[in-house]
Amino acid sequence: MPELPEVETVRRGLQPVMEGAKILVAEARRPDLRFPFQPDFVARLQGQIVTGLGRRAKYLMADLASGDVLLMHLGMSGSFRVIKPDNDAQPGEFHYPKGKDSTHDHVLFRMSSGADIVFNDPRRFGYMKVIARNALEDEPLLRDLGPEPLGNAFDAAMLARSCQDKTTSLKAALLDQRVVAGLGNIYVCEALHRSHLSPRRIAATLSTRKGEPTDHAKRLVSAIHTVLNDAIKAGGSSLRDHRQTSGELGYFQHSFKVYDREGEACKTPGCGGTVKRFTQNGRSTFWCPKCQK
C-alpha cells in the first residue's frame, strides 16, 4: 500500500500538468474500481478547471472551480501516468518501462495543458470520488483522520497527548490513522529504528503523567519528520507497484535501515546488533532488539 511519501511524490508529478488546467475530457472506462463510480462522476469533472492539487494523508485531492473536490486513492496497485506530445525524454536511472497493455487503464483525464493523465490499477483497490468542498468535514473517508505528520501542528506535545492513555504498542498507535495520518508499516518501522524505540514499547510512555511529551516523543517526532522528508526526496519506495508519474521508480528502499533487512547487521553506528522480524498486528515488524528499547 503506497504510504505518504509515495502519494506526495505522485502529487508533485501531477501538479505541473494538472494544476491550473481544464479537464477537457474525463473518461471512466469501467463502472467501478474498489467502489462504483458515482452516476454523475464524469459530468462533474468534465470542463472543470483544477484550481489546486493537494494531499491529505494517503489521498490526492484536486480542487475544482465548481467547488467540488476530486478525491483519489491509489489503493494497492494504482499509478498515474502522464502522457505528453513530447514525452520522448530519456528515462531516469530508476525507470520502470511503461507497458503497452492498456487493459488496466481505467480512468483518463485529457487536460488543457496538453497532457493525458491515465490512472492504471490492475487490482482495482484504488478509488475516486467527487465531493462538495463544504461537505468534506462530514466525508466518512476523511473525518476521522489525525494530523498530518509533516504539518505544523504535529509535534511532540500533540503526539504525547494522543498517546497519553494508550496501552497498545507504540507501533500500533503510529499505524492508527486517527493518531497521525499517512504513516504505514514501512515508515513506522524506519522511524522507530531511527529514534531507537522498540515497536513493542507501550504508546503511553511518550507522555508524562501530566500529559507532557517525554524525550522519547521528541526523538520520535524528529525521526518521523526526517524519514518522511528523506523518502519524498528519493521519490518514495518502489516495492512492487509504486512508480512516479514519469515512470521512474522511487529509490528510498536503498536507504532502509531495518525494513526488509532481517538477519542483516544493524546500521546504527557502534550497535553490533542484528535486524529481527516478527509479526505484529498482522504486519511484519523489522527492528534491532539491541538498540531499540
Side-chain angles (χ1 to χ4, degrees), residues 276-288:
K276 305 292 184 182
R277 184 188 74 83
F278 68 97
T279 301
Q280 193 176 22
N281 302 111
R283 307 293 298 276
S284 290
T285 293
F286 297 90
W287 72 309
C288 174

Side-chain angles (χ1 to χ4, degrees), residues 2-9 55 57-58 148-150 181-182 228 232:
E3 299 182 27
L4 186 154
E6 287 76 48
V7 179
E8 178 62 21
T9 299
R55 178 193 54 75
K58 301 175 186 179
E148 287 287 321
L150 294 178
L228 291 180
I232 290 169

Side-chain angles (χ1 to χ4, degrees), residues 74-184:
L74 297 174
M76 294 290 290
S77 62
S79 63
F80 283 95
R81 186 169 73 251
V82 175
I83 305 171
K84 294 184 282 190
D86 59 349
N87 200 20
D88 57 357
Q90 292 297 311
E93 181 179 359
F94 299 97
H95 185 72
Y96 186 101
K98 299 183 180 70
K100 296 181 180 179
D101 185 4
S102 60
T103 303
H104 305 297
D105 288 351
H106 301 312
V107 181
L108 176 140
F109 304 125
R110 179 154 293 153
M111 309 300 298
S112 63
S113 60
D116 282 358
I117 299 171
V118 179
F119 181 67
N120 181 286
D121 189 0
R123 302 182 194 177
R124 300 202 306 273
F125 285 141
Y127 47 92
M128 297 186 187
K129 184 177 183 180
V130 182
I131 307 165
R133 171 152 285 283
N134 58 15
L136 283 180
E137 289 187 3
D138 297 321
E139 170 55 42
L141 296 170
L142 301 173
R143 65 188 176 200
D144 294 326
L145 289 176
E148 287 287 321
L150 294 178
N152 293 332
F154 181 72
D155 57 15
M158 172 176 280
L159 183 59
R161 288 194 299 271
S162 297
C163 294
Q164 185 175 4
D165 298 317
K166 289 189 177 295
T167 57
T168 58
S169 70
L170 187 49
K171 186 187 178 191
L174 293 176
L175 288 175
D176 185 343
Q177 298 300 294
R178 296 167 297 181
V179 173
V180 55
L183 292 181

Side-chain angles (χ1 to χ4, degrees), residues 50-81:
V50 178
T51 58
L53 185 63
R55 178 193 54 75
R56 177 72 171 105
K58 301 175 186 179
Y59 293 96
L60 291 168
M61 301 176 67
D63 283 288
L64 307 177
S66 62
D68 283 336
V69 176
L70 171 61
L71 191 72
M72 299 171 279
H73 195 286
L74 297 174
M76 294 290 290
S77 62
S79 63
F80 283 95
R81 186 169 73 251

Side-chain angles (χ1 to χ4, degrees), residues 178-199:
R178 296 167 297 181
V179 173
V180 55
L183 292 181
N185 196 42
I186 293 175
Y187 298 108
V188 168
C189 286
E190 289 295 305
L192 287 172
H193 180 262
R194 293 189 186 207
S195 57
H196 305 299
L197 296 176
S198 168

